[in-house]
Amino acid sequence: LGTMAFGLALATLGAVHGHGAGLQSSRAGGLSLLRATAVSMEAPVTAPPESMTAIAERVFLSDLRPIILFDGICNLCNGGVNFMLDWDRPDDIRGVFRFAALQSDVGKGLLMRSGRAPDDISSIVVTFRDRPALVKSDAILYIGSKVGGGTPLEPAFPIASKLASTLVPKPVRDAVYDQISLNRYNIFGESSQCRLSDERFEERFVSGLLDKWTGEDGVTT
């Protein structure tokens, strides 16, 4: 249970730190709030599967940073992203991780690349260029092992992550994760818009790259 308490604490801290909006980050130190770019979920635009797959491969061609796939309408998940933006190497504009909404075309392509259904938003996913993706509690623990670099949290989170992975069996960790995931909207609420980016963190978000890399004829360039 320590694993999920650790992950839940991380995301909840982010939700509180983002003033409950789910689509903001304050960047540690009290800097001005950052508005995220979001799109309505009422009429989502989805690219052809081949375009999504091509984008999924392209995001790793010149950038090896892992990509965290998160539920873009989940307040808890967005709280975790807020926390990461504030505490993932705040002195480095690139940070350790990049982000993409599971509902975005890039996110769907990365899900397919990882062997998951493109509409599967049941779990956070950490994707890599040259190793299998991590999901559920394994993903949370991996993120925890890397967060806090360059901040007072740097020694604490990796230690907590290591202890949780050692002391709590994976089936137990994942079972608790599943319960939180199934009830995340009821407990923490959801947004009618899907978070795609954050204006001061263009180096961190890959959700909107399809628009950048797709020509007017709809063919990925």
Side-chain angles (χ1 to χ4, degrees), residues 25 27-29 31 83-96 146-154 200-201 204:
S25 167
R27 196 57 150 162
L31 299 183
F83 187 91
M84 290 295 296
L85 291 175
D86 289 336
W87 295 96
D88 174 18
R89 297 282 176 186
D91 57 340
D92 179 0
I93 191 173
R94 289 170 56 81
V96 175
K146 303 295 183 182
V147 74
T151 76
L153 297 179
E154 184 165 8
R200 280 186 54 190
F201 296 96
R204 305 284 186 99

Side-chain angles (χ1 to χ4, degrees), residues 174-193:
D174 284 346
V176 177
Y177 180 96
D178 287 340
Q179 288 303 307
I180 296 174
S181 176
L182 287 172
N183 293 284
R184 64 189 187 276
Y185 297 146
N186 293 331
I187 298 174
F188 296 95
E190 61 182 297
S191 172
S192 61
Q193 295 183 318

